[in-house]
Amino acid sequence: MNKREFIKYSGLAVGALAAGTTSLYASSTAQKVKKHGRKGSPLKLSFIPYDLKLRHVFTIASNSRTTTPVILTMIECDGIRGYGEASLPPYLVENQKSVSDFLSKVDLSQFNDPFQTEDILDYVEKVAPGNHAAKASVDIALNDLRGKMMGQPLYRIFGLNPEKTPNTSFTIGIDTPEVVKQKTQEADIYKVLKVKLGKGTDREMIEAVRSVTDKPLFVDVNQGWTDRDKALEMIYWLKEKGILFIEQPMPKERKDDIAWLTQKSPLPVVADEALQGIEDLLPLKGVYSGINIKLMKCGGISNALKMIRIARAMDMKILVGCMTETSCAVSAAAQLSPLVDWADLDGNLLIGNDVYDGLKVVDGKIVLPDRPGIGIVEKAKLF
Ligand code: MG
């Protein structure tokens, strides 16, 4: 291996060069790296609030909105920058103030090796309980940073085949039949759609979609059904309409009713609101047959990867989803998509003021950028 190849394939070498180390081959340096890990500049965490503007009013069973607040993060080491994001839709407990308060307490300057991910994330976890989106914004930036320092996309670091990315769904919110038809037609490039139900117009919604397309559909009820017998009847009707699974059919507290529904349902029943952090996963056994993993709920890429492994051991189906987010958090989630059954990674497509360029959707399929880390570049200078 010549020197150029060595640098290309060694993240340690890239970091060492950036830190000003003069000889990559000096045995003393090699021993130092081996013995103590990489020494770089102290990690520096920055963050800024940003408001995402939605292209259309977005209505689900519980609310309607036109904007989504986020916090964009950046971790810098040796002049290399990793980017992250906390998305904060209003129905969740976190907001820009809580995330700013949390991140203000996070002192990453005590670390100078972004490859010691476990130590850093253990520290961040212990700063305060909860704060999953805030923690995700640190985890994503840290993973992006280490990918960039290694010069490799995260999917390669995780050993995943980028050809195995699934199609992503595009979400159709609850609206009048005319608007639903129009949105369905506009979503022409997508091979699968996710239809929001749960406000008493379920059949009209599905009939409106079916009047213009026969492509497969996901259904998300957002806890909107209250009667389990009617829910089961509706699921049988939906199966005949070409639906692939039902997401969060009833309120998450109704575990016995959901377990009954899952047992009798001809379609997979997927947990979303019922699954926040990794600690919620094991109790879902026997209640749901699938899970919707979102980085903002579980605290980032590292926890999402752990949850995917555990859910597979529990013989559950896996959907990777997102909030309304920029291409930063969506591209981060997409790095794991070769491992899952279904993807709902359209959050960046719902907004009109994305500040990053990242994953692409080509003929409905997720295409991971051939760039290091999470694969994004800034469209505008933010930090
Ligand atoms: Mg959902």
Side-chain angles (χ1 to χ4, degrees), residues 167 169 191-193 210 214-219 235 238-247 265-270 289 317 341-343:
N167 292 324
S169 61
K191 298 278 195 287
V192 57
L193 300 175
R210 279 288 170 254
D214 58 359
K215 60 181 69 164
L217 306 177
F218 306 158
V219 153
I235 293 174
L238 290 168
K239 182 170 188 294
E240 296 306 309
K241 297 290 178 186
I243 277 66
L244 298 181
F245 65 80
I246 310 294
E247 189 174 324
S265 171
L267 296 175
V269 176
V270 173
S289 44
K317 294 282 193 184
D341 301 291
W342 309 297

Side-chain angles (χ1 to χ4, degrees), residues 133-382:
K135 288 169 183 172
S137 75
V138 178
D139 173 279
I140 295 167
L142 190 61
N143 274 291
D144 189 37
L145 177 63
R146 70 181 180 131
K148 284 175 174 164
M149 288 187 141
M150 296 173 82
Q152 297 291 344
L154 281 184
Y155 66 79
R156 289 205 77 201
I157 295 168
F158 296 145
L160 307 180
N161 181 350
E163 301 296 319
K164 290 188 175 173
T165 54
N167 292 324
T168 181
S169 61
F170 183 82
T171 298
I172 308 290
I174 297 170
D175 220 313
T176 62
E178 292 70 33
V179 175
V180 168
K181 280 183 201 174
Q182 185 199 336
K183 285 184 182 170
T184 303
Q185 282 163 335
E186 286 171 8
D188 194 39
I189 69 154
Y190 300 93
K191 298 278 195 287
V192 57
L193 300 175
K194 183 191 233 191
V195 183
K196 295 284 191 179
L197 299 183
K199 282 195 90 136
T201 56
D202 300 346
R203 288 176 194 254
E204 291 91 326
M205 284 286 298
I206 297 296
E207 298 286 12
V209 174
R210 279 288 170 254
S211 70
V212 288
T213 182
D214 58 359
K215 60 181 69 164
L217 306 177
F218 306 158
V219 153
D220 189 357
V221 187
N222 289 109
Q223 314 185 82
W225 294 342
T226 52
D227 182 309
R228 73 181 193 181
D229 292 301
K230 284 186 184 165
L232 185 60
E233 189 184 320
M234 179 59 76
I235 293 174
Y236 271 100
W237 183 81
L238 290 168
K239 182 170 188 294
E240 296 306 309
K241 297 290 178 186
I243 277 66
L244 298 181
F245 65 80
I246 310 294
E247 189 174 324
Q248 202 64 56
M250 299 180 74
K252 61 182 179 180
E253 297 79 15
R254 304 265 301 270
K255 286 179 73 171
D256 291 347
D257 288 330
I258 295 168
W260 178 89
L261 199 56
T262 298
Q263 198 179 21
K264 296 193 167 356
S265 171
L267 296 175
V269 176
V270 173
D272 185 9
E273 285 86 342
L275 176 70
Q276 300 296 318
I278 196 166
E279 66 280 4
D280 297 326
L281 182 52
L282 289 178
L284 298 184
K285 177 100 180 137
V287 182
Y288 297 85
S289 44
I291 57 168
N292 184 348
I293 295 180
K294 296 176 182 170
L295 301 189
M296 295 305 134
K297 296 193 301 179
C298 72
I301 299 169
S302 308
N303 275 351
L305 190 55
K306 286 178 199 161
M307 287 171 76
I308 289 170
R309 306 291 191 208
I310 296 168
R312 284 297 184 216
M314 293 165 71
D315 198 25
M316 294 184 103
K317 294 282 193 184
I318 301 170
L319 165 69
V320 64
C322 62
M323 309 296 182
T324 312
E325 301 165 347
T326 72
S327 288
C328 175
V330 177
S331 299
Q335 298 291 320
L336 300 176
S337 68
L339 286 170
V340 306
D341 301 291
W342 309 297
D344 176 26
L345 294 177
D346 63 349
N348 57 324
L349 305 169
L350 303 175
I351 62 172
N353 58 343
D354 197 347
V355 284
Y356 297 105
D357 181 72
L359 88 166
K360 294 283 179 273
V361 178
V362 179
D363 288 334
K365 182 178 159 71
I366 293 167
V367 175
L368 295 169
D370 185 17
R371 299 187 191 122
I374 60 173
I376 60 167
V377 289
E378 287 175 288
K379 287 197 211 169
K381 199 77 184 159
L382 292 167

